[in-house]
Amino acid sequence: MTRTSSAPAVTRTSSAPLRTPVAALLAVLLAASGVLLGAGGAQAAGYRYWSFWEADGKSWAYATQGPSLVRPDDGTVQGFRFAVSEDSADADRPRHAADFGAICADTPAKGGAKRVALVIDPGTAEDAPAGEKPPALRTACAQVAPDASSAEALASVAKPLRYDSSAMICAISGYPKSGCGEQVSGDGNKKDGSEKPSAPAPSSAPATDDGSGSGGGPSAGLLLGIGAILLLGIAAVLQARRRR
């Protein structure tokens, strides 16, 4: 007697039809992520403002307080640089050595006063507002009262100064004529090869309009959007597998 097997036949379903839509979905998700990230990078912008610096030996360090709060000691060197930058990590340093002996060589010490060496660097034509030409870089030795602030030392040698309502310096010796920490699109103004600082942004640095800090990268909302897209993609893949 010939016996025939009663076991049901196993039907094998090809995964090829599934792989095609899943691969297409992943490709779309990756493309969307790239577009969103590219949009975030395109929104990066700088700010045109006077940054405040202090001497760290013979080099420059981005100041951690505004000039109205700092009360420098006798023999201090401080700098001011006008340029376009996104934040303190992108800011240009003053283009002159922080050398107290050279700057104050012609200003003898005097009792009841202190000397503060200042470097005032209006920057390059690339960073200047439209229709304005930056004046020449200059140095000055301010001789002021022992308790004078950095802002007072600057005012003694570089009037007129202009401030905004938050005590941020807008103009030194009348430059620029208008504007104060305004946003400038793009970062194509960084061409003078200045060394970049790494100090955190002080209170004198301009903030972004949306409160998100530096404009150098994608916003939190953009990253959340990318994450949501990827999660939807993963969920679609899992759902497709359950239906097999």
Side-chain angles (χ1 to χ4, degrees), residues 36 57-58 70 96 104 107 129 137 147 159 188 195 211 229 235:
L36 289 173
K58 291 293 185 179
V70 176
H96 191 283
C104 288
T107 306
L137 180 154
D147 63 345
K159 290 181 179 179
E195 190 178 359
I229 291 176

Side-chain angles (χ1 to χ4, degrees), residues 44-128:
Y47 297 85
R48 181 182 286 118
Y49 69 103
W50 282 99
S51 55
F52 177 44
W53 302 80
E54 296 178 304
D56 181 10
K58 291 293 185 179
S59 61
W60 293 108
Y62 202 95
T64 56
Q65 291 182 303
S68 62
L69 299 177
V70 176
R71 299 191 180 278
D73 295 328
D74 180 71
T76 297
V77 185
Q78 297 182 322
F80 295 85
R81 172 69 191 267
F82 188 77
V84 173
S85 61
E86 294 179 26
D87 50 35
S88 63
D90 184 55
D92 288 327
R93 302 171 188 260
R95 297 169 298 166
H96 191 283
D99 189 337
F100 177 84
I103 296 172
C104 288
D106 297 329
T107 306
K110 184 173 68 174
K114 66 182 177 183
R115 293 176 298 167
V116 180
L118 299 172
V119 174
I120 303 169
D121 185 353
T124 68
E126 292 175 334
D127 292 325

